[in-house]
Amino acid sequence: MDRFREALAKMCGATPPEDLCQEWLAGVSMDHVDRLQEWVVNQPGTPAWAQGIVTIEAAMMWADVPTEGVPHEYRD
């Protein structure tokens, strides 16, 4: 979770709320709206060309790749 949030923070310019990240990873949506995706697209640091889902999936991929010399933290 920490690595995922850090990756999104680097891409969006702000750290996402943990509850939104937990909802995303658990597949929870409110009235068919993914709150994390809405949060991502509304951040000024998110590239204009990037859709929310693309940014989130890139952050997940980045978080899952261990940094050399740093223990890998597997997400739940």
Side-chain angles (χ1 to χ4, degrees):
M1 178 63 72
D2 291 339
R3 288 173 60 91
F4 178 51
R5 290 181 70 216
E6 288 174 20
L8 279 172
K10 293 285 186 196
M11 293 182 193
C12 300
T15 303
E18 188 170 349
D19 62 325
L20 298 185
C21 292
Q22 289 173 345
E23 286 177 10
W24 177 268
L25 295 175
V28 174
S29 64
M30 305 294 182
D31 297 324
H32 304 289
V33 174
D34 293 310
R35 296 185 330 139
L36 180 61
Q37 190 172 351
E38 281 190 340
W39 183 90
V40 167
V41 297
N42 288 316
Q43 297 310 301
T46 302
W49 55 266
Q51 296 176 335
I53 187 80
V54 170
T55 305
I56 293 168
E57 288 180 353
M60 289 178 74
M61 201 173 206
W62 192 4
D64 284 341
V65 175
T67 304
E68 188 173 333
V70 176
H72 183 63
E73 174 189 323
Y74 291 96
R75 58 186 171 92
D76 297 333

